[in-house]
Amino acid sequence: MSAMSESVAISDIDVADVRFQFRFQTQSEDLRSSIAENGQLNPITLWRPRKNARYLIVDGFRRTDACIALGLETVDANVIRCTEDQAYGRAYVENVVRKNLTPLEKATGICAVIDRVGKKRAAEQIKISSKQLNRYIELLEAPSLTKRALGKGTISMAHALIISEYLPSVRMPEADLIRLAELNSAAELRKLLKKKRNNGRPKKFTRIDDEMLRMYPFRFNRVTASKEDRQKVSRALRAALKFVEG
């Protein structure tokens, strides 16, 4: 991969093509003011898919937007010459590895890599385990309030994943789970929710056989859907009703 620094006309850049964008795009008044006062200190990175085609931004979307807002006609850029896959790898390094991103931004970037090269190659390129890769995928599927709290920094990625795991089974509003997460470590939160989930499981019932000679416990949630088991449960319930009603 080779690169050459040059001044590029903004009109020659396809700013609408964001295939290499990993971060959530936000406006920055500070960046705009810095470029206005000091000029563009750091060049952006551009890639050209073919000869005479317009350039695509690999790194530097916000800097380009700031230059456009200031009415500048050119931008300082490092133009890389490589394949599209290599450009994609460069974009990931520049925008995810070297930047202080939020967990959600990292998850978005990682999933963009997965969409392009698949999970196995993504794990190899990003150099993380398959388990960690799956954690980032699960993070993007977290409930909306949980992702909002994570974005604000009031809970951690571990908190968010625990809330996603236990929300369907603990019968608590999502907002209450978030407040609980804010007050406890991830390990403490998991312990609390595991206890609450176990307390909400079906209780033991007493099964009485047809002869009503003995009693022993069983759990309804372990009964299979077979016809024979349904008949056994039916007989046990009828015997129990007969015993209760006298």
Side-chain angles (χ1 to χ4, degrees):
M1 182 187 301
S2 62
M4 183 174 64
S5 181
E6 57 187 273
S7 179
V8 177
I10 293 177
S11 59
D12 289 337
I13 302 173
D14 187 355
V15 295
D17 192 319
V18 293
R19 71 181 72 177
F20 298 118
Q21 185 175 14
F22 288 98
R23 306 186 69 183
F24 297 125
Q25 190 73 344
T26 56
Q27 296 294 327
S28 175
E29 290 295 332
D30 291 340
L31 177 60
R32 192 179 304 174
S33 299
S34 174
I35 294 177
E37 294 176 9
N38 307 307
Q40 183 189 341
L41 301 178
N42 298 307
I44 66 172
T45 303
L46 299 176
W47 173 75
R48 177 175 270 174
R50 59 187 179 277
K51 188 176 180 180
N52 298 326
R54 298 178 75 189
Y55 295 99
L56 304 183
I57 302 172
V58 174
D59 177 46
F61 287 91
R62 293 170 67 246
R63 277 167 283 168
T64 303
D65 284 348
C67 289
I68 293 173
L70 291 170
L72 302 180
E73 295 182 355
T74 62
V75 62
D76 295 333
N78 290 323
V79 180
I80 57 175
R81 290 169 173 78
C82 59
T83 66
E84 185 171 357
D85 282 346
Q86 289 175 325
Y88 211 79
R90 174 71 173 266
Y92 177 80
V93 170
E94 295 291 343
N95 290 281
V96 179
V97 176
R98 296 181 182 175
K99 303 287 178 64
N100 185 24
L101 303 185
T102 68
L104 281 174
E105 287 177 325
K106 287 183 179 179
T108 302
I110 288 171
C111 286
V113 177
I114 292 173
D115 289 342
R116 183 172 182 83
V117 301
K119 289 177 66 173
K120 184 177 180 180
R121 284 187 60 194
E124 293 171 353
Q125 289 184 7
I126 300 170
K127 294 181 172 54
I128 63 175
S129 67
S130 296
K131 182 178 179 180
Q132 186 67 10
L133 197 74
N134 289 330
R135 283 168 60 85
Y136 279 110
I137 294 173
E138 292 169 8
L139 188 62
L140 287 183
E141 298 173 355
S144 58
L145 292 180
T146 299
K147 287 196 287 190
R148 190 179 306 170
L150 178 62
K152 292 179 180 179
T154 58
I155 63 173
S156 68
M157 176 176 172
H159 283 121
L161 291 172
I162 292 170
I163 291 173
S164 297
E165 178 184 351
Y166 283 89
L167 181 61
S169 60
V170 296
R171 298 179 182 179
M172 284 180 65
E174 184 184 353
D176 290 347
L177 288 177
I178 293 171
R179 283 192 288 271
L180 195 62
E182 292 170 347
L183 297 173
N184 294 275
S185 68
E188 291 168 341
L189 178 66
R190 180 178 291 279
K191 185 177 180 180
L192 289 169
L193 296 184
K194 185 177 181 180
K195 182 178 180 181
K196 182 172 179 60
R197 182 176 67 181
N198 290 339
N199 288 340
R201 285 178 174 171
K203 304 297 182 181
K204 285 186 177 181
F205 293 89
T206 299
R207 172 175 171 177
I208 309 173
D209 62 14
D210 292 334
E211 292 78 19
M212 297 179 62
L213 297 176
R214 55 195 171 87
M215 301 170 66
Y216 56 94
F218 73 104
R219 289 184 183 273
F220 277 102
N221 62 335
R222 292 184 180 175
V223 176
T224 67
S226 71
K227 182 177 180 180
E228 181 181 355
D229 282 332
R230 291 199 302 270
Q231 289 173 345
K232 288 180 180 179
V233 171
S234 179
R235 286 197 300 270
L237 290 174
R238 286 197 300 269
L241 285 173
K242 184 177 179 180
F243 177 79
V244 171
E245 294 172 355

